[in-house]
Amino acid sequence: MTDNKLLEVEHLTMRFGGLVAIDDLSFNANKREITAIIGPNGAGKTTVFNCLTGFYVPTEGRLTLHADDGPRLLERTEGFRIPRNKGVARTFQNIRLFTGMTVLENLIVAQHNRLMEASAFSLAGLFNLGKYAKAEKEAVEKAEFWLEKVGLYAQADWNAGNLPYGSQRRLEIARAMCTDPSLLCLDEPAAGLNPRESAELNVLLQSIRDDQGVGCLLIEHDMSVVMQISDHVIVLDYGKKIADGNPEAVKNDPAVIRAYLGEEEDDELPPEVAADLHLDPKAQ
Amino acid sequence: MSAAFASSRTNGSEVVKELAFFAVIALLMSVMLLGVETVDRPTGLELAVRWDLVLIAIGATVIGRLGLIFRRENISRLGQAVLITLSAVAVFEMFVRFRELDDRWVSPVVLDMAFGSVVSTIVGIAFVAIIFATAYFTMKDKTAADVDESAKLSSKIQLAYRSNTKKIGLIGIIFFIIFPFIFGEDRSAIDLATLVMIYIMLGWGLNIVVGLAGLLDLGYVAFYAVGAYSYALLSQNFDLSFWLCLPLAGIFAASFGIILGFPVLRLRGDYLAIVTLGFGEIIRVVLINWYDLTGGPDGISSIERPSFFGMADFSRRVPDGAIGFNELFGMEYSSMHRLIFLYYLILVLALVTNFVTLRLRKLPIGRAWEALREDEIACRSLGINPTNTKLSAFAIGAMFGGFAGAFFATRQGFISPESFTFLESAVILAIVVLGGMGSQIGVVLAAIVMIGFPEMFRELAEYRMLIFGAGIVAIMLWRPRGLLSFRDPTILLNMSQKEKVAGEVK
Ligand SMILES: Nc1ncnc2c1ncn2[C@@H]1O[C@H](COP(=O)(O)OP(=O)(O)O)[C@@H](O)[C@H]1O
Ligand SMILES: [Mg+2]
């Protein structure tokens, strides 16, 4: 069991001034598993992601990624290095695409580091030497693979900002996958999706887990998604872990029912997502 | 009048109120700016009052506002156009009086041939006619069909432009190459073309920083200055030739870009703009005050002119041991040879800038620049190093500024800090913004409009700046994102050009 560990979070604490957003949180995520993090709004879920991906430096604690080449301490790695060499990739709660660039370009930019090396930091690329041309071709192939996978092949040359909302979510996942991560962090990927899109998302995430062998960390409000596809659920409330186990066990945990499932009736969208939904993506 | 307003939302007394309100605003704004003037008398500085200007300002505002009310209430299209035109003429009159060009009551350009020049009369009449016509034809009620039609037209133009960018570029290049053959004898034409070409090159260089990487740089002229002084100093102190100094000037400017960029590129948007503005000024102040090295405000003179690739010389009196360009090719001596050579030199430098930029755009570094402009946080989450990426844009932009600077120094033969003021940075930035951020052909158009036109119409004296200003306002109104503001994708997968545009327009 131990050598199946992908991510180890130990005693993670994050304070913003007097506010304790995450309080001594420890959990593990395994390889080839989908680990869901759930909890009410403001529980600190996104903050966990921001710590994992280097946007915040944790106040305390240790975050270890057990990648193929050995353990890496994420809290000591500069943010932009974390995604490199089979690292951690993520999506954002309010989608962050390169909206003025095309769908294909979004996926090529995600493969920046490998292409940069192949172009000898642009010197060889300037004269279109063979090695770079080959690397770019491979990058396009990889992008095509993911475009097929998320069903956006026909829109490859559209501006990403002109895609409908659901497609933008899927594109963001494809873009994260193009960095070749060993851990994929998804921040509320089903928010704002209709039931059909949500079902498609389940299939996609399962395929990322089973076919690509990538571990997923999933923040989700939609309990149907969580219960259906996650292998392991962690429940946060006010920055503390209140439950940790398989979906069945968590579902029946009284503390969870009190903190989270009890509030299920008012499953309001987070304000950012609601705002995004009202924006007509085509109008941009 | 009240009858005219009866059917609409606004009634007569409200209109009067509105006009009075705007008259008061106009009074408040103009009384200090236009109404008083300091005059240098033998007894000392005195305040003079210029009520005529204040009156005209108020008149122009009220008439213009009335025109807008007509428009809002959909009253008489002819009336709208007349009022707007009257207001424009009044503004014009105000300008003429402000510059003390004439003090008769009707704009001299319109009716009176103040300068006795046919050109100014024609320009004046054309000016009024254009305003009237635009007012008349753009102010008609827009039905949904009209809007649809104009959208269709604009997408048709877009399509035509997009699918022919290469051809348009090629025609442009050919035009600039044969330019000296057409105007070969016309000294001022070649000089102007060279000047425009310098700004095209600077615009293309700055376009990397502002248009592609999205870093607002208000101090680009600093790199231009570094390039110019690098060449001037290297050539005077170490007797290096232009051809050796050219790459060195680029390297120096790029190093300055990196030195500046390192601390400031953490800043974003406005903050970055302010710091770069400061840096541009610092360089200029250093140039003024470091007298021993730079000659301070006196500048550096008799900078060496470029040779024909070290093979031949362009001067009338060829130094010992060298051969003249005319001898080399067995031609009569002509002072135009050097000018034409300089023209081709800057043309080549500019084209190199253009091709390197176009190529870089399609490389990972260029895509990362654009991605960074779109969303820096997403870039970090994809493993792109924002600092290095920004630095590279800054350094490469600076390098081309440096090349242009070295060219400027060798062309002028004299440089001083005067040539590198903030105004230059502003003009170059305006070229990039007006051209349409990131658009290479847009930069060419904007440079011609910004640099070429004011020079060409020099004889119109003060009026050209007014027309120029009006032109810029018009561009910003009609094409707020610049003349050519479409972005060409750097890579396409499976669609024909046509479908792609359809996907984007809708
Ligand atoms: N950069 C920040 N500065 C201050 N407070 C923050 C910051 N980021 C998050 N927080 C606070 O941390 C708490 C957890 O937020 P978050 O992780 O976004 O919750 P959620 O579980 O809904 O994703 C909230 O109270 C939020 O206000
Ligand atoms: Mg959140």
Side-chain angles (χ1 to χ4, degrees):
Chain A
M1 191 66 193
T2 37
D3 73 327
N4 194 26
K5 245 188 279 173
L6 176 59
L7 175 73
E8 226 179 328
V9 173
E10 293 163 280
H11 305 291
L12 174 65
T13 299
M14 183 80 222
R15 290 194 202 98
F16 297 105
L19 179 95
V20 186
I22 307 174
D23 190 3
D24 195 25
L25 172 70
S26 301
F27 70 90
N28 294 331
N30 290 332
K31 289 177 179 158
R32 294 176 170 275
E33 275 189 13
I34 295 178
T35 307
I37 302 181
I38 62 173
N41 277 333
K45 307 177 298 289
T46 301
T47 307
V48 173
F49 274 22
N50 283 337
C51 291
L52 283 175
T53 49
F55 284 93
Y56 296 157
V57 179
T59 320
E60 279 165 35
R62 186 200 294 219
L63 309 166
T64 319
L65 179 74
H66 295 278
D68 299 341
D69 58 355
R72 293 189 212 162
L73 295 180
L74 297 179
E75 81 277 8
R76 301 214 187 144
T77 315
E78 258 184 289
F80 64 85
R81 288 187 208 282
I82 288 178
R84 294 183 179 179
N85 307 320
K86 291 196 147 288
V88 184
R90 73 172 289 181
T91 66
F92 296 86
Q93 188 169 345
N94 29 3
I95 310 176
R96 287 183 171 276
L97 289 173
F98 306 122
T99 46
M101 302 173 82
T102 69
V103 170
L104 179 62
E105 282 172 325
N106 269 269
L107 300 186
I108 305 266
V109 168
Q111 306 174 52
H112 176 79
N113 289 311
R114 207 155 29 79
L115 285 172
M116 199 67 180
E117 238 166 72
S119 74
F121 300 91
S122 307
L123 290 176
L126 214 47
F127 305 104
N128 210 0
L129 298 184
K131 193 177 156 212
Y132 173 69
K134 186 164 158 272
E136 194 184 61
K137 194 162 156 270
E138 282 168 9
V140 173
E141 275 162 14
K142 177 178 233 129
E144 284 182 294
F145 172 81
W146 282 105
L147 285 172
E148 288 285 12
K149 203 111 178 129
V150 298
L152 289 174
Y153 197 91
Q155 288 87 353
D157 296 328
W158 283 29
N159 265 3
N162 292 344
L163 291 177
Y165 185 85
S167 308
Q168 294 200 6
R169 282 243 174 249
R170 272 176 291 143
L171 175 58
E172 205 190 15
I173 296 174
R175 187 180 68 179
M177 284 310 295
C178 279
T179 65
D180 261 334
S182 41
L183 174 67
L184 175 65
C185 298
L186 300 149
D187 200 342
E188 304 197 11
L193 299 191
N194 62 35
R196 190 177 51 82
E197 289 174 325
S198 186
E200 282 171 7
L201 179 73
N202 286 357
V203 176
L204 176 64
L205 295 188
Q206 277 165 332
S207 150
I208 287 175
R209 171 188 65 188
D210 301 333
D211 306 338
Q212 310 296 319
V214 171
C216 295
L217 212 52
L218 170 72
I219 295 179
E220 195 44 75
H221 277 296
D222 187 336
M223 290 310 287
S224 73
V225 175
V226 172
M227 292 303 149
Q228 258 177 43
I229 65 168
S230 45
D231 304 288
H232 173 190
V233 179
I234 291 150
V235 188
L236 290 188
D237 194 17
Y238 295 108
K240 286 202 176 75
K241 184 167 87 175
I242 58 171
D244 184 343
N246 65 42
E248 254 338 281
V250 166
K251 201 172 167 183
N252 301 322
D253 191 315
V256 177
I257 293 168
R258 221 180 317 110
Y260 187 79
L261 296 181
E263 305 181 338
E264 207 186 15
E265 292 93 322
D266 56 41
D267 63 357
E268 270 179 282
L269 289 175
E272 311 93 297
V273 177
D276 277 346
L277 275 177
H278 290 303
L279 269 182
D280 179 3
K282 286 177 193 175
Q284 284 173 352
Chain B
M1 197 159 212
S2 59
F5 288 114
S7 62
S8 56
R9 284 173 288 132
T10 323
N11 63 36
S13 75
E14 269 177 31
V15 169
V16 173
K17 235 190 243 166
E18 186 174 339
L19 292 181
F21 176 72
F22 276 89
V24 170
I25 299 261
L27 173 72
L28 290 179
M29 283 184 66
S30 59
V31 82
M32 291 315 283
L33 289 174
L34 303 169
V36 285
E37 181 190 28
T38 51
V39 193
D40 201 1
R41 297 261 162 75
T43 48
L45 276 185
E46 277 176 25
L47 278 185
V49 197
R50 307 180 64 180
W51 291 117
D52 56 334
L53 283 180
V54 177
L55 274 179
I56 301 173
I58 296 173
T61 312
V62 170
I63 298 172
R65 189 69 207 177
L66 192 61
L68 288 182
I69 294 175
F70 268 43
R71 160 122 196 83
R72 195 176 64 203
E73 308 294 341
N74 254 331
I75 303 164
S76 160
R77 181 148 56 112
L78 188 66
Q80 293 173 26
V82 168
L83 285 169
I84 302 264
T85 313
L86 268 181
S87 169
V89 170
V91 169
F92 202 89
E93 170 78 25
M94 191 168 73
F95 172 78
V96 167
R97 285 166 168 269
F98 183 70
R99 303 307 300 259
E100 294 180 338
L101 298 175
D102 198 291
D103 59 358
R104 274 160 294 183
W105 269 99
V106 181
S107 289
V109 161
V110 182
L111 293 177
D112 178 303
M113 282 112 255
F115 294 89
S117 137
V118 184
V119 180
S120 73
T121 318
I122 294 174
V123 169
I125 293 169
F127 177 68
V128 172
I130 288 172
I131 293 178
F132 182 80
T134 8
Y136 189 72
F137 289 110
T138 59
M139 303 232 161
K140 68 176 180 190
D141 308 330
K142 277 198 175 150
T143 61
D146 286 337
V147 176
D148 223 38
E149 199 61 31
S150 79
K152 237 188 240 159
L153 182 70
S154 96
S155 75
K156 247 185 211 160
I157 296 173
Q158 275 192 31
L159 196 72
Y161 167 72
R162 285 190 161 196
S163 39
N164 292 308
T165 340
K166 278 223 171 93
K167 268 185 229 154
I168 295 171
L170 207 63
I171 293 172
I173 292 173
I174 292 173
F175 170 76
F176 282 116
I177 288 176
I178 60 171
F179 186 82
F181 293 102
I182 309 172
F183 293 97
E185 295 309 307
D186 187 348
R187 198 186 178 91
S188 63
I190 299 288
D191 263 341
L192 180 56
T194 309
L195 188 69
V196 169
M197 201 55 76
I198 292 179
Y199 281 91
I200 292 177
M201 175 162 180
L202 289 170
W204 276 340
L206 185 61
N207 208 1
I208 297 175
V209 184
V210 180
L212 292 184
L215 305 166
L216 188 50
D217 181 356
L218 290 182
Y220 191 62
V221 76
F223 306 124
Y224 189 41
V226 167
Y229 274 85
S230 306
Y231 169 58
L233 292 172
L234 285 174
S235 127
Q236 298 224 311
N237 297 334
F238 301 100
D239 211 20
L240 299 180
S241 81
F242 175 75
W243 299 103
L244 189 61
C245 290
L246 185 66
L248 287 179
I251 291 171
F252 274 126
S255 328
F256 267 81
I258 293 174
I259 292 168
L260 163 72
F262 221 71
V264 309
L265 284 177
R266 294 164 197 287
L267 305 173
R268 286 189 205 168
D270 308 351
Y271 300 101
L272 179 68
I274 290 165
V275 173
T276 50
L277 188 152
F279 180 74
E281 284 301 287
I282 287 171
I283 292 268
R284 195 174 61 86
V285 171
V286 168
L287 290 178
I288 291 179
N289 289 295
W290 195 350
Y291 197 87
D292 299 335
L293 184 70
T294 65
D298 306 341
I300 302 176
S301 52
S302 54
I303 301 168
E304 197 180 302
R305 298 316 192 90
S307 60
F308 186 69
F309 305 109
M311 289 188 288
D313 204 277
F314 285 104
S315 20
R316 186 180 291 274
R317 289 229 192 83
V318 176
D320 295 339
I323 34 172
F325 177 78
N326 50 327
E327 290 169 41
L328 190 68
F329 288 92
M331 291 186 287
E332 283 286 299
Y333 174 80
S334 158
S335 61
M336 289 305 294
H337 288 161
R338 172 190 281 149
L339 293 183
I340 294 176
F341 177 70
L342 283 172
Y343 171 78
Y344 277 121
L345 178 57
I346 187 67
L347 179 62
V348 169
L349 285 174
L351 286 179
V352 167
T353 312
N354 180 34
F355 287 127
V356 170
T357 310
L358 287 181
R359 185 74 202 125
L360 283 177
R361 259 199 84 208
K362 294 184 195 268
L363 288 178
I365 186 75
R367 297 206 183 101
W369 289 338
E370 291 199 79
L372 210 59
R373 176 192 69 199
E374 302 274 322
D375 195 327
E376 182 170 341
I377 289 179
C379 278
R380 291 215 309 172
S381 83
L382 297 173
I384 296 172
N385 181 340
T387 318
N388 286 358
T389 309
K390 285 184 192 173
L391 267 183
S392 64
F394 227 62
I396 292 176
M399 180 179 77
F400 289 120
F403 289 151
F407 174 82
F408 176 75
T410 194
R411 171 180 182 245
Q412 302 293 102
F414 166 76
I415 52 171
S416 77
E418 284 286 286
S419 310
F420 307 106
T421 56
F422 169 67
L423 188 69
E424 289 300 301
S425 291
V427 166
I428 304 167
L429 187 67
I431 288 176
V432 174
V433 173
L434 284 183
M437 302 268 249
S439 162
Q440 298 292 93
I441 295 180
V443 165
V444 177
L445 290 182
I448 293 173
V449 170
M450 293 273 304
I451 307 296
F453 285 1
E455 292 291 325
M456 269 189 251
F457 298 112
R458 211 167 246 295
E459 66 203 81
L460 295 181
E462 306 277 355
Y463 299 112
R464 74 199 164 103
M465 292 318 283
L466 186 74
I467 295 168
F468 171 73
I472 289 185
V473 171
I475 293 177
M476 287 330 312
L477 281 176
W478 283 318
R479 297 211 66 91
R481 300 180 60 204
L483 288 171
L484 300 173
S485 59
F486 338 98
R487 176 181 176 277
D488 254 334
T490 60
I491 187 167
L492 287 172
L493 191 56
N494 50 7
M495 274 199 221
S496 75
Q497 198 83 347
K498 201 166 179 168
E499 283 168 291
K500 179 202 76 199
V501 177
E504 272 173 49
V505 168
K506 280 296 125 191

